Amino acid sequence: MSLTKSLISRRFISAFPSELRALSSHQALSGPSSSIFAIPGRVHTTFNQGRRSLTTSSSTHPNSVESTKWKHYKADVGSADIYAFLEPVTSSWQYIVADPTTRDAVVIDPVLDYNPASGTLSTTAADTLLEFIREKNLSVVRILETHAHADHLTASQYIKRMLGGKAPICIGERIKQLQGHFAPVYGLESTDFVKSFDVFLKDEEVFTLGSSISGKVIHLPGHTPDHIGYMIGKAVFTGDSIFMPDLGSARADFPGGNAKDLFSSMTRLLSLPEDYQLFVGHDYPVGREHDCMATVGVHQMMNKHGKLGITESQFIQFREARDKVLGAPRLLHPSLQVNIRAGKLPPASNGRVWLKTPTKLSNPNIPL
């Protein structure tokens, strides 16, 4: 172990000794299958009263309180309340981040349920968010997308409509590159992008949530070129730019993505202070429960693909080899043609919409 890594290791163990024994101690809070990555806090209690979930916490350290529907995180006194909601079919994490004083909130990466076998779109995951927003009396001021997802459909348009149409849908300005790339693939015209995204965010753009909670847009390319993250206080919502430590990283073979950029984005995230919390967009656990957050310090020590000591060339070699054997996401085509328009669907007829599946003919003798 290098001297630098050794010093970081000692600081990490001193600052967060509980994280290295989190599996055993976190079981006392959440049961035998809980993650080893979130920092266990003090005693927390969750009360479920019918459909309503109420939580109390006696700790202000980074931790989570889990109900039947969501997990709650809070880094420091006065910081944002973070609520994480799992959509289990696509293993997607959706987030609501709220100012505890003003009740202003943002929604990050909401999911629309889609069953490709039956061709049915439904709103179970999004309705869970809306119910929570009503119960907590939150005022949603923005709907934030990290990128054009290729594995699930976004519910941003639905959330916006159900909240009265005033909350703007925001995404990084490079989404226009993907719109230009995929428009001919799905037969879309420039007019099809009207009334889709409301705000195109610039790199390092700053914003305020509520009265005083600071936020910033950070460009995190590699998975896709348009990919951004949102840093709100000490929390960073990373989308697919990094995964939980035992999973490492997301694929980098989508159009405009590449492993070199992904390594750079992961390095940027792991260069943040060790107590910063990284909230992922997906989790695909093996032998543990789904989880959504690990601190920078944990990632530095444990991230399977990007921990301290892994070089750029090692990462690129692994990531590119791995991506070559991965199949296309199950919902690739339904997701992209909807998500590059912020969840806007094709025109409907008799209560139905038609999503396109581009098909290549491997044999020119197949009749058209």
Side-chain angles (χ1 to χ4, degrees):
M1 179 182 293
S2 68
L3 176 61
T4 300
K5 187 172 181 181
S6 176
L7 290 172
I8 291 175
S9 299
R10 288 199 294 271
R11 290 202 309 270
F12 171 79
I13 293 170
S14 175
F16 305 111
S18 59
E19 293 203 64
L20 298 182
R21 59 176 185 273
L23 180 59
S24 60
S25 60
H26 197 59
Q27 287 173 352
L29 296 177
S30 304
S33 299
S34 296
S35 164
I36 66 172
F37 303 118
I39 305 175
R42 303 173 191 170
V43 177
H44 304 277
T45 308
T46 300
F47 305 91
N48 294 314
Q49 299 175 343
R51 299 173 65 189
R52 183 181 297 271
S53 298
L54 306 175
T55 65
T56 61
S57 169
S58 62
S59 174
T60 57
H61 296 289
N63 51 58
S64 72
V65 183
E66 185 171 4
S67 80
T68 56
K69 294 183 179 179
W70 45 266
K71 293 184 177 184
H72 173 224
Y73 295 82
K74 194 174 183 70
D76 296 293
V77 173
S79 65
D81 285 310
I82 299 166
Y83 302 96
F85 300 76
L86 176 69
E87 193 291 297
V89 176
T90 61
S91 294
S92 301
W93 284 104
Q94 313 165 96
Y95 297 98
I96 295 174
V97 185
D99 181 336
T101 302
T102 66
R103 316 305 296 167
D104 285 351
V106 296
V107 176
I108 302 175
D109 288 344
V111 176
L112 191 67
D113 304 278
Y114 177 59
N115 184 327
S118 65
T120 303
L121 284 169
S122 56
T123 58
T124 301
D127 287 337
T128 298
L129 301 183
L130 291 168
E131 179 185 14
F132 183 88
I133 289 165
R134 288 191 294 266
E135 288 182 351
K136 293 290 187 180
N137 194 28
L138 302 178
S139 175
V140 175
V141 296
R142 286 188 175 192
I143 301 167
L144 305 177
E145 292 282 0
T146 55
H147 65 295
H149 313 274
D151 45 22
H152 67 269
L153 281 68
T154 176
S156 284
Q157 291 288 348
Y158 175 72
I159 294 286
K160 177 181 176 180
R161 179 178 182 179
M162 297 306 292
L163 293 176
K166 295 181 180 180
I169 302 173
C170 310
I171 199 167
E173 60 182 351
R174 290 177 183 81
I175 185 63
K176 297 175 183 178
Q177 297 178 21
L178 290 188
Q179 289 174 333
H181 178 87
F182 285 109
V185 174
Y186 299 113
L188 299 174
E189 304 293 338
S190 59
T191 54
D192 292 317
F193 296 103
V194 175
K195 296 183 179 179
S196 56
F197 295 101
D198 300 300
V199 177
F200 299 96
L201 299 167
K202 298 183 181 299
D203 300 347
E204 309 301 314
E205 185 169 332
V206 297
F207 59 91
T208 301
L209 176 61
S211 58
S212 61
I213 296 174
S214 62
K216 184 171 73 171
V217 176
I218 52 177
H219 187 212
L220 297 172
H223 177 65
T224 62
D226 65 309
H227 201 298
I228 59 173
Y230 298 99
M231 183 183 298
I232 302 176
K234 291 185 176 182
V236 184
F237 299 89
T238 68
D240 293 357
S241 57
I242 199 167
F243 279 168
M244 293 298 291
D246 59 335
L247 300 178
S249 63
R251 64 195 300 166
D253 59 339
F254 294 137
N258 68 76
K260 180 180 176 67
D261 285 346
L262 186 60
F263 181 80
S264 177
S265 294
M266 293 178 67
T267 300
R268 179 178 185 180
L269 291 171
L270 269 59
S271 297
L272 294 170
E274 294 172 9
D275 62 335
Y276 273 47
Q277 302 169 332
L278 304 184
F279 290 87
V280 300
H282 293 279
D283 188 34
Y284 309 102
V286 176
R288 61 171 174 81
E289 296 293 329
H290 281 88
D291 211 342
C292 62
M293 189 279 285
T295 63
V296 169
V298 170
H299 276 282
Q300 289 175 344
M301 298 297 294
M302 300 181 182
N303 188 280
K304 186 176 181 180
H305 303 154
K307 64 186 176 182
L308 296 179
I310 292 179
T311 66
E312 179 184 85
S313 60
Q314 288 174 327
F315 178 85
I316 292 173
Q317 182 179 9
F318 162 79
R319 189 67 264 171
E320 291 181 345
R322 173 63 176 159
D323 288 347
K324 287 179 181 178
V325 301
L326 294 177
R330 184 173 67 100
L331 300 181
L332 175 68
H333 294 300
S335 298
L336 284 175
Q337 60 195 284
V338 170
N339 293 344
I340 59 175
R341 297 193 294 162
K344 185 180 178 183
L345 298 174
S349 176
N350 297 322
R352 293 178 180 270
V353 298
W354 281 263
L355 300 175
K356 297 181 179 180
T357 303
T359 303
K360 294 181 180 179
L361 304 182
S362 60
N363 187 329
N365 293 317
I366 297 175
L368 299 176

